[in-house]
Structure formats: structure tokens, C-alpha cells
Amino acid sequence: MGITYNFKRSVNSYKYSNIKIKVGFYSSLISFSEQTVEWNSDTSAYLVGQRENFNIINPEVQLEMLKRIKKFSYELAKKKGKILYVNEAANCKFDGIVKFLSYKAGQNFVVGRWPCGLITKNKSLDVSCILLFNPSKSKFPIKEGNKLGLPIISLNNLGMSISKTMYPIICNNIEGNSAFFSVLLLSHSILEGNLFEFTKKHLKTF
């Protein structure tokens, strides 16, 4: 996947008349937010411009956010912490992604309507962190998570506030590709952390 850009010949060079550069999966899918006119005041700093009414998110900022959640999820997995993947009914088209990636990473998930008191009253459910696909539609998970002091990772578009979650990822959470890439990176980090601890425990070389 990617977008191919054609660069015209440089004034000081005639050797390469037409250079094609294929932008990778991350740059082509994550940098464009949903088509909208309005954005939240605390996310406007991450907007670098618009093209054909689509907001263009600063990829450097996104990269730093992804690095943070990658490191966090990796360290959490090493400590055997559990991340609860949450996708409320408003985003039912992501249910398959949530189920697949949470199962792949060995984590629990909730799709559809959030059961009241799921983590505050159910002590048997092991939750160290919450991952939200749409924080604007997930008020109750945020409320219960904050009550327990749990870190919250969220996929935010430019119209959402990032002040209520500890690890926001500004991306296009309307289309599946952008959300899938972000959560895939997080899930792989969990697997890496689990593999590190397993190897350390079973191999004498560590």
C-alpha cells in the first residue's frame, strides 16, 4: 500500500527526469484525518494543513505518540499487565479488528455496549490499562478507568479532546486502515514484551 509521488526534474540535475517515491503504509494512511471542517482546540496544533477538505495531521507528532504507546505497551507486557480493548456500539465496523488483535495479543476485549461497573465491580477481571477506539463514545469506560487510576490509550480524531486520556493517538479513527495500523503496532509491542519475559525465564543466556 502507499501513494506514489512524481517529482519533476531538478534545475541542477538532468540525470533523473522523473523520480517516483512510494510513501509507506504509515505516511499514506495515518497522516490524513477524516473530512471535516471543525476540530478541537487542543488538537488544532497537530494540524498542518488541508487538502481537498481533508485535514492533514503532522506525521512527526503521530510518530512520537505511537512511540510512546509502543514503549508503554511493551513495558506493561513485561510486567504481565493486561490491556482491555474497548469498542462501543457506535463503531461496530471495528469489532472484527478488536477481536482479532486482542486475541492475537492475549488480551481481553469488550465490543458493543459497555456493561455498567465492568471493571469497578468485577474484581476478577484483570485490567491494567484501557484501549478505546472512540473516546467520544466511551464515557463510561473513561469514568471507570479514571476512578481506578488506570492509564487510557485512545484513538482520537481532530474533533476530539485529548485531555482525558493519558496516551492519545491522533489519527483517522473513522476509517479502518488508520485505526488498524495503530492498534496493530500496540499489539505487536505486547507480543514482544511477552516474548522477552518468556525468553528471559527459559533461556540461561538471559
Side-chain angles (χ1 to χ4, degrees):
M1 287 188 175
I3 299 175
T4 299
Y5 290 95
N6 294 327
F7 287 82
K8 295 182 179 179
R9 181 172 52 189
S10 172
V11 176
N12 299 322
S13 175
Y14 59 86
K15 185 175 182 180
Y16 303 104
S17 59
N18 193 24
I19 302 176
K20 293 184 177 181
I21 297 180
K22 189 172 183 180
V23 179
F25 183 89
Y26 168 78
S27 298
S28 62
L29 295 179
I30 306 297
S31 299
F32 292 89
S33 181
E34 74 285 353
Q35 189 170 11
T36 182
V37 177
E38 298 181 359
W39 54 82
N40 193 280
S41 58
D42 60 356
T43 60
S44 59
Y46 308 122
L47 177 67
V48 295
Q50 289 185 327
R51 182 177 182 181
E52 297 179 358
N53 294 325
F54 281 85
N55 295 324
I56 303 176
I57 305 171
N58 188 339
E60 294 182 359
V61 173
Q62 286 180 303
L63 184 59
E64 290 304 316
M65 289 181 169
L66 289 171
K67 284 181 179 179
R68 286 184 67 210
I69 65 108
K70 185 179 187 301
K71 180 179 179 181
F72 170 76
S73 55
Y74 176 82
E75 294 298 332
L76 185 66
K78 287 171 60 177
K79 299 176 183 177
K80 298 183 179 181
K82 292 291 184 179
I83 298 179
L84 181 65
Y85 290 50
V86 178
N87 187 50
E88 297 240 42
N91 286 335
C92 59
K93 64 182 179 181
F94 290 145
D95 285 354
I97 295 176
V98 172
K99 293 177 182 179
F100 172 74
L101 292 180
S102 61
Y103 179 78
K104 178 182 176 68
Q107 309 298 304
N108 295 316
F109 68 86
V110 175
V111 296
R113 191 168 184 175
W114 175 265
C116 183
L118 176 64
I119 57 177
T120 53
K121 297 179 181 179
N122 186 4
K123 303 301 181 182
S124 61
L125 183 61
D126 184 13
V127 180
S128 306
C129 175
I130 302 175
L131 167 65
L132 302 176
F133 272 66
N134 193 327
S136 66
K137 304 294 183 181
S138 307
K139 296 181 180 179
F140 292 110
I142 292 177
K143 184 177 181 180
E144 291 191 31
N146 289 337
K147 186 175 181 180
L148 296 176
L150 297 178
I152 297 177
I153 302 170
S154 63
L155 306 181
N156 296 59
N157 60 42
L158 290 170
M160 300 177 181
S161 173
I162 61 173
S163 60
K164 295 183 179 180
T165 56
M166 185 176 295
Y167 295 96
I169 305 170
I170 298 180
C171 64
N172 184 346
N173 68 351
I174 304 301
E175 299 298 329
N177 286 332
S178 183
F180 176 77
F181 179 82
S182 301
V183 183
L184 180 65
L185 180 67
L186 179 145
S187 301
H188 281 179
S189 299
I190 295 174
L191 290 173
E192 289 175 6
N194 289 335
L195 180 61
F196 176 87
E197 286 302 304
F198 178 85
T199 307
K200 182 179 178 181
K201 181 178 180 180
H202 291 86
L203 293 183
K204 296 181 179 180
T205 56
F206 276 71

